[in-house]
């Protein structure tokens, strides 16, 4: 089955700096790569996603890049703010007969220091 | 505002008890999922359902079962709870189709003593 590895497990940055989280996946059939942010006491929430026919996607301070050949994708957060502190999960999804299973990375705890 | 509601935020049960975790979504989604979240292990899929009364095992189904009698409701059942099932359980839903956003509930933290 699919295997998703996420690095680093923890990341601490100063406010205003950039943060980068990287994920690799194993199954070349995967074609949808979302990133979720989980704040304390809440469920994960989608912040950005990318499909396999696109190499990069941006949404304000957040961007995701995808390298299908190398089977890795990355989340980039620029001008970090304290409210960016959370756990971030990457995931990979591939076509499934009925529901489309997502395989998640182990998560990255991002701390943005004021 | 779309919503996935998990009925219990915190539960404490004893070993051997039967445990029901309930999840309801108001988005008319066909697909529903139960994940388990443990520190350092990410989110692991227990079971999912793509239609009423239809279910499939995820990656860690042992010790769990599910029920989906109505489209909006997906229940996770621990027939005989064990201490290694102490965890955070997350329910999610997604509309028909194999890719797209998962909408998560806020989680149910289960402690088995």
């Amino acid at each position: 089955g699919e295997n998703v590895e996420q690095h680093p497990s923890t990341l601490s940055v100063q406010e205003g700096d950039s943060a980068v989280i990287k994920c690799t996946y194993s199954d070349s059939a995967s074609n949808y790569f979302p990133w979720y942010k989980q704040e304390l006491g809440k469920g994960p929430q989608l912040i950005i996603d990318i499909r396999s026919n696109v190499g990069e996607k941006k949404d304000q301070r957040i961007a995701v890049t995808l390298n299908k050949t190398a089977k890795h994708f990355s989340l980039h957060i620029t001008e970090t703010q304290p409210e960016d502190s959370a756990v971030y999960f990457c995931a990979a999804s591939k076509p499934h007969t009925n529901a489309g299973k997502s395989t998640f990375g182990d998560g990255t705890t991002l701390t943005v220091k004021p | 505002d779309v919503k996935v509601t998990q009925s219990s935020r915190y539960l404490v049960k004893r070993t051997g008890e039967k445990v029901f975790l309930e999840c309801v979504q108001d988005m008319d989604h066909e697909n529903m999922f139960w994940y388990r979240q443990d520190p350092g292990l990410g989110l692991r899929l227990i079971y999912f359902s793509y239609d009423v009364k239809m279910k499939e095992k995820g990656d860690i189904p042992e010790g769990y079962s599910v029920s989906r009698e109505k489209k909006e409701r997906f229940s996770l059942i621990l027939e005989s709870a064990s201490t290694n099932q102490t965890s955070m359980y997350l329910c999610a839903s997604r509309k028909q189709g194999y890719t797209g956003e998962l909408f998560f509930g806020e989680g149910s933290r289960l402690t088995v003593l």
Side-chain angles (χ1 to χ4, degrees), chain A residues 79-93:
Chain A
E79 300 172 22
T80 54
Q81 300 166 3
E83 51 265 39
D84 294 329
S85 296
V87 180
Y88 291 81
F89 292 98
C90 64
S93 296

Side-chain angles (χ1 to χ4, degrees), chain A residues 31-32 36 38 41-44 46 51 89 93 95-96 98-102 104-106, chain B residues 9 31 35 37 40-43 48 50 56 59 94 97-102 104-106:
Chain A
N31 61 357
Y32 174 67
Y36 290 86
Q38 185 178 28
K42 296 186 176 181
L46 180 74
R51 298 185 185 271
F89 292 98
S93 296
H96 178 271
N98 294 303
K101 293 176 12 174
S102 297
F104 285 81
D106 290 346
Chain B
R9 292 297 305 275
N31 302 329
Y35 285 90
Q37 181 178 13
L41 296 178
L43 280 66
F48 63 100
Y50 49 88
E56 281 198 29
D59 300 317
R94 169 193 277 157
Y98 60 82
T99 59
E101 180 176 1
L102 280 169
F104 283 90
E106 296 199 320

